Amino acid sequence: MAEGQAGGSRFFGASGRHLLGVQGMHPSQIIPILDLAETYVLMNGSRKTPRDRLRGRTLINLFFEDSTRTRTSFELAGKRLGADVVNMSIAQSSVNKGETLLDTAATLNAMRADLLVVRHSQSGAPALLAQKVDASVINAGDGTHEHPTQALLDALTIRRHLGRIEGLTVAICGDIAHSRVARSNIHLLSAMSCRVRVVGPPTLVPGAMSALGVEVHHTMEEGLRDADVVMMLRLQRERMSGGQVPSAREYFRFYGLDRRRLDLAKPGALVMHPGPMNRGVEIDSQIADSDQSVIREQVEMGVAVRMAVLDLLARGARS
């Protein structure tokens, strides 16, 4: 995305129409999103959300992959701003009967949707739709590419607890190679001048990762030392069946977050996880439920951040 000034249609690049990723975003674009999301956190807590903000606008959730958490979060965000929200069931749609993505774009244009939230297993699918639809497109996760609103909600969570993002040391641990959450967080945190570390077995950490300006560690003991934030990633079961890790038990033995390893980080270091968690695989239950864990708060911040994104994109469309 092109760098832009805060405000109006410049939040999400030159067109101001889409949010497809955070790569290339400047702090002058990121911070105002977090600031607006902060106001929505307060409004959500008081149950006084501006339900006229998106009145008369239609939001379609188009999820080609299951994700109850993200889809529900966008649905709540849209409804709290007064949008008409439609969840399209891909399993029952004509897409499964052979309709192409471009056919779907033509159908969506005929529906005259204003905002389109897309999750797809193929990297680049939301970007392709963005070229073909009149609606503003928000990438809710595409392949191993990006998940921009997850990185934004993680940043908001960190800032609310530690008072800043700049200069912090953040350790992202687990399956880096296949994680769009890791990729978006690396781009955002690096843009915000964080010291970013990636930690995981060599089979799950791409060799080219250091080219992104991050530190690469293959032991938790090295990667977590003096970290301000420990961000765990979900290990998908197919990685174990595919031989990339020996077993769930062995993975936890070497790369699971337990009290001993967390104590290597700074006192009071935040523990994060995008969910859903595999307890006993990437994280110990006692740590997941501890006072240092902000995992449940991440869910709350997700609604606020998505409200901010929908609001700003709608403003950009009007300008």
Side-chain angles (χ1 to χ4, degrees):
M1 296 184 189
E3 292 182 10
Q5 300 301 315
S9 63
R10 302 294 300 278
F11 272 98
F12 304 103
S15 71
R17 291 192 57 223
H18 311 293
L19 177 60
L20 303 175
V22 295
Q23 184 177 10
M25 287 184 76
H26 188 268
S28 65
Q29 296 170 296
I30 295 167
I31 294 172
I33 300 173
L34 302 185
D35 290 345
L36 181 59
E38 187 78 52
T39 68
Y40 280 129
V41 173
L42 300 176
M43 289 184 188
N44 288 338
S46 65
R47 301 185 183 276
K48 295 180 179 178
T49 53
R51 295 184 181 272
D52 60 341
R53 193 61 53 86
L54 295 182
R55 182 178 297 164
R57 293 180 177 265
T58 301
L59 164 66
I60 295 181
N61 281 324
L62 186 65
F63 277 52
F64 294 85
E65 284 185 327
D66 289 335
S67 177
T68 302
R69 183 186 302 243
T70 303
R71 180 183 56 76
T72 302
S73 181
F74 271 109
E75 183 177 2
L76 279 172
K79 288 181 175 179
R80 287 180 181 176
L81 293 173
D84 297 317
V85 181
V86 178
N87 295 315
M88 290 188 65
S89 178
I90 302 305
Q92 300 172 10
S93 75
S94 54
V95 174
N96 270 3
K97 301 172 186 175
E99 181 175 283
T100 69
L101 199 61
L102 296 183
D103 291 331
T104 300
T107 301
L108 292 168
N109 273 337
M111 292 178 179
R112 299 191 180 278
D114 300 289
L115 297 152
L116 181 62
V117 179
V118 182
R119 171 168 288 207
H120 202 285
S121 61
Q122 296 297 315
S123 299
L128 177 60
L129 277 173
Q131 296 173 24
K132 304 296 182 181
V133 299
D134 298 326
S136 293
V137 176
I138 302 165
N139 180 5
D142 63 328
T144 58
H145 175 226
E146 279 217 45
H147 192 352
T149 57
Q150 180 69 47
L152 288 163
L153 74 88
D154 289 342
L156 180 61
T157 306
I158 291 169
R159 193 178 75 168
R160 281 173 60 85
H161 277 270
L162 300 182
R164 62 187 172 95
I165 303 171
E166 299 84 352
L168 297 176
T169 299
V170 181
I172 305 174
C173 311
D175 184 1
I176 307 297
H178 304 93
S179 176
R180 53 198 172 205
V181 172
R183 192 171 300 276
S184 283
N185 267 296
I186 287 168
H187 291 314
L188 187 149
L189 294 169
S190 297
M192 296 298 293
S193 302
C194 287
R195 179 182 180 184
V196 182
R197 302 171 181 169
V198 295
V199 189
T203 53
L204 297 179
V205 179
M209 193 57 61
S210 57
L212 296 178
V214 302
E215 301 175 19
V216 177
H217 298 279
H218 294 305
T219 69
M220 294 287 278
E221 287 70 21
E222 291 179 356
L224 267 58
R225 196 171 304 279
D226 296 325
D228 298 286
V229 179
V230 180
M231 189 179 294
M232 303 304 296
L233 300 173
R234 177 172 173 263
L235 180 69
Q236 297 181 9
R237 298 291 179 175
E238 54 264 35
R239 309 299 171 222
M240 289 178 276
S241 60
Q244 291 174 296
V245 295
S247 68
R249 179 178 295 180
E250 284 295 296
Y251 184 85
F252 183 78
R253 177 184 173 193
F254 290 103
Y255 294 100
L257 184 64
D258 56 15
R259 173 50 60 185
R260 177 179 63 85
R261 290 192 172 114
L262 183 56
D263 283 345
L264 296 172
K266 287 184 180 177
L270 301 184
V271 174
M272 308 183 76
H273 194 299
M277 290 182 288
N278 292 312
R279 293 172 181 260
V281 178
E282 64 256 5
I283 189 168
D284 182 83
S285 283
Q286 290 185 341
I287 299 301
D289 299 327
S290 70
D291 291 341
Q292 288 177 252
S293 171
V294 294
I295 296 170
R296 290 188 179 89
E297 186 174 336
Q298 286 174 268
V299 178
E300 178 187 356
M301 295 305 106
V303 176
V305 160
R306 284 154 186 151
M307 290 174 73
V309 168
L310 293 174
D311 183 355
L312 291 168
L313 283 175
R315 293 186 202 181
R318 285 192 292 264
S319 64

